[in-house]
Amino acid sequence: NKCIDIDQKQLLDLIPQQPPFLVISKATFGMAHDGAPVLHTFASFPVSAVKGHFCDCSVIGLMHNSRCLAQSGMLLSSLVAGTAAGIPEVIQTKMIHHDTARYFSSCATIETYVRCEKISARGNLTLISVSGVVFVRGYQAADTDEFTYVMVPREKHPSVAGKNNFLHNQQVEGISH
């Protein structure tokens, strides 16, 4: 089982999130014993990103765990489909389970494990389904039965600035008037 380490620079090439919205700092890609592609990611949030989400405490909340799951699934989808296939976007979530019995401080590292469950096609679109689990200090804080991602062609994805990008064109037109 050969594993591939992915650093911050490589992450920036594989998914559209940029700091401060990119929360994954590093990842390891490999194959499960049954041959399914898997990914182990590490993330953390600065105090400024978590303060106020739960009263006035600096704790990791449910949205932070969900964000780690979503970005980890997005990264795995890019690795499985290849960046030429497009940029992954979540189109369906079956269920996210959060354990609200414990909360952790913002300095805790969040470890996420995601697994590719299925790759399929609809027309010319690639769909990738992943499952995942989030651990904080060894405690299972969240998991999902399934996230489904669609590989959006690069030229149609909102993160790609250019003539075909509606949001970019609206912003440029708004500035020029």
Side-chain angles (χ1 to χ4, degrees), residues 40-74:
H40 179 197
T41 65
F42 300 86
S44 59
F45 291 89
V47 171
S48 61
V50 298
K51 188 161 181 69
H53 286 283
F54 186 72
C55 301
D56 197 29
C57 303
S58 295
V59 296
I60 296 169
L62 307 179
M63 67 173 262
H64 302 99
N65 295 332
S66 296
R67 201 161 161 197
C68 291
L69 274 170
Q71 284 187 17
S72 297
M74 182 178 282

Side-chain angles (χ1 to χ4, degrees), residues 127-145:
L127 302 172
I128 299 171
S129 296
V130 303
S131 61
V133 62
V134 174
F135 290 92
V136 183
R137 293 193 179 137
Y139 182 79
Q140 185 173 328
D143 65 78
T144 182
D145 296 334

Side-chain angles (χ1 to χ4, degrees), residues 11-27:
L11 289 169
L12 294 170
D13 292 336
L14 291 165
I15 60 176
Q17 281 77 14
Q18 301 289 307
F21 303 106
L22 175 66
V23 298
I24 300 170
S25 58
K26 63 181 180 174

Side-chain angles (χ1 to χ4, degrees), residues 1 30-39 114-118 131:
N1 247 355
M31 297 290 179
H33 294 292
D34 63 359
V38 293
L39 186 72
V114 289
R115 171 189 169 92
C116 181
E117 300 294 346
K118 182 170 79 172
S131 61

Side-chain angles (χ1 to χ4, degrees), residues 8 39 96:
Q8 185 85 37
L39 186 72
I96 299 176

Side-chain angles (χ1 to χ4, degrees), residues 95-122:
M95 180 67 73
I96 299 176
H97 310 275
H98 291 282
D99 187 337
T100 57
R102 287 180 155 175
Y103 287 88
F104 298 93
S105 68
S106 62
C107 63
T109 298
I110 300 171
E111 292 185 64
T112 305
Y113 296 88
V114 289
R115 171 189 169 92
C116 181
E117 300 294 346
K118 182 170 79 172
I119 302 170
S120 58
R122 275 203 195 132

